[in-house]
Amino acid sequence: MTSAGRAQRRGPDPRAVRSSLIALVSTVVVFGGLAWIVVHAPGWPAVQASFFNREVFEESLPGLLDAFVVNIELFMTAEVLVLGFGLLLAIMRSLSGPVFLPIRVMSNAYTDIFRAIPGVLVIFVLGFGIPGLGLVDPRTDQRLFGILALTLVYSAYVSEVYRAGIESIHPSQEAAARSLGLSRLQSLRFVIVPQAVRRVIPPLLNDFIGLQKDTVLVSFIGVVEIFRYAQIESAATYNFTPYVAVALVFIVVTVPLIHLVDWLVARDRGGARPRAAATPSRLGAL
């Protein structure tokens, strides 16, 4: 009988069961203790009435979900623009040769500037500055300026993710492409960029989680999305429960994306190890 069969007959490992029980008990003790401290704090009744009012929560939640549709629209539109513009910036920064120096300088300056400026300032400047120039209709939907600002800010971050992916491709890939007669741009398009994009999907998803949350910043220029609606409800009810509802909505939407990123990272790591381990055996067989 194999060792695996003997282990199955003996049942679960007592040490593993003991470790699991200790972890469960310690978790219950820690979180139970924190809950007891909060509930028995002197100001808990007032906090409960101001932040965890059931009636206010039930009344405001449908309106908050309707307003969240605006956040989804902002996120989806900005995401598409960021993917394209960020990749363009990364390619511009990857161009070699003296003739492309102005392009590299402009893309480097853009990336440095928009990573240095807080996103809310960009939203303010574009949301109030562009209409102030008189170049557009003052009645233009402010959501357009919010999408533009989010695209400009997050393209700078995403371009760095793309650039890291491009630089992670071994130079032999480009050398092989160039030996086949492809130009630098053709090598990027057909050989390097497709491989780089596959490698940077997890960090890209991390950036888009941040983008999804930052859609609430457009409320500062008058867009009525979920956070702005929560402000209106809070002012009308003199209660902060709508803000807690907003937090719950983002938790429900964002946590699955976070675990998706973790799963993708774990899958990539798990897939890389068997391939690396299989190489020596194949070489030995040869």
Side-chain angles (χ1 to χ4, degrees):
M1 183 179 294
T2 63
S3 59
R6 288 194 298 270
Q8 277 189 342
R9 293 188 62 182
R10 286 199 301 267
D13 187 353
R15 290 176 297 181
V17 174
R18 181 172 176 272
S19 298
S20 299
L21 290 176
I22 292 175
L24 177 62
V25 171
S26 63
T27 302
V28 171
V29 169
V30 170
F31 286 100
L34 291 174
W36 187 90
I37 292 172
V38 171
V39 172
H40 289 81
W44 169 246
V47 171
Q48 183 181 23
S50 298
F51 287 88
F52 303 99
N53 189 300
R54 180 177 178 179
E55 294 180 359
V56 175
F57 179 87
E58 293 176 350
E59 290 176 2
S60 62
L61 185 60
L64 291 172
L65 294 177
D66 290 338
F68 189 62
V69 175
V70 177
N71 295 81
I72 296 175
E73 293 173 351
L74 294 170
F75 166 69
M76 296 300 292
T77 307
E79 179 182 6
V80 174
L81 297 175
V82 166
L83 281 172
F85 189 40
L87 180 58
L88 177 61
L89 284 172
I91 293 175
M92 290 169 60
R93 297 188 69 180
S94 301
L95 296 176
S96 58
V99 70
F100 294 114
L101 178 60
I103 295 177
R104 292 198 301 271
V105 170
M106 287 189 296
S107 58
N108 285 335
Y110 175 92
T111 303
D112 291 341
I113 290 172
F114 280 97
R115 284 194 299 164
I117 301 176
V120 67
L121 292 182
V122 179
I123 292 173
F124 262 105
V125 170
L126 295 182
F128 296 119
I130 293 179
L133 292 174
L135 300 178
V136 297
D137 191 335
R139 295 169 295 181
T140 302
D141 193 342
Q142 290 291 91
R143 287 180 293 183
L144 297 178
F145 302 124
I147 291 172
L148 176 60
L150 291 172
T151 300
L152 292 176
V153 172
Y154 272 88
S155 292
Y157 291 98
V158 169
S159 69
E160 287 296 287
V161 176
Y162 277 131
R163 188 167 69 93
I166 291 173
E167 293 180 351
S168 70
I169 304 301
H170 197 275
S172 61
Q173 297 283 322
E174 182 181 0
R178 297 297 293 271
S179 68
L180 294 175
L182 298 181
S183 65
R184 169 64 175 169
L185 290 177
Q186 289 175 327
S187 301
L188 284 170
R189 177 183 176 186
F190 297 111
V191 178
I192 299 174
V193 170
Q195 297 182 70
V197 169
R198 287 194 295 269
R199 291 187 178 186
V200 300
I201 287 177
L204 280 179
L205 288 176
N206 272 325
D207 282 333
F208 288 137
I209 289 172
L211 173 62
Q212 181 185 30
K213 294 184 293 183
D214 280 352
T215 55
V216 300
L217 297 177
V218 300
S219 64
F220 291 106
I221 57 175
V223 178
V224 181
E225 41 70 64
I226 189 170
F227 182 71
R228 182 62 174 166
Y229 187 86
Q231 288 180 313
I232 296 171
E233 286 291 310
S234 180
T237 59
Y238 299 99
N239 195 280
F240 298 107
T241 302
Y243 293 117
V244 177
V246 171
L248 290 176
V249 170
F250 274 99
I251 287 173
V252 170
V253 173
T254 304
V255 168
L257 292 177
I258 294 173
H259 286 289
L260 173 61
V261 173
D262 294 340
W263 177 79
L264 288 173
V265 172
R267 187 189 66 174
D268 290 343
R269 290 176 178 173
R273 283 194 294 267
R275 288 195 297 269
T279 302
S281 63
R282 290 199 299 268
L283 292 176
L286 294 175

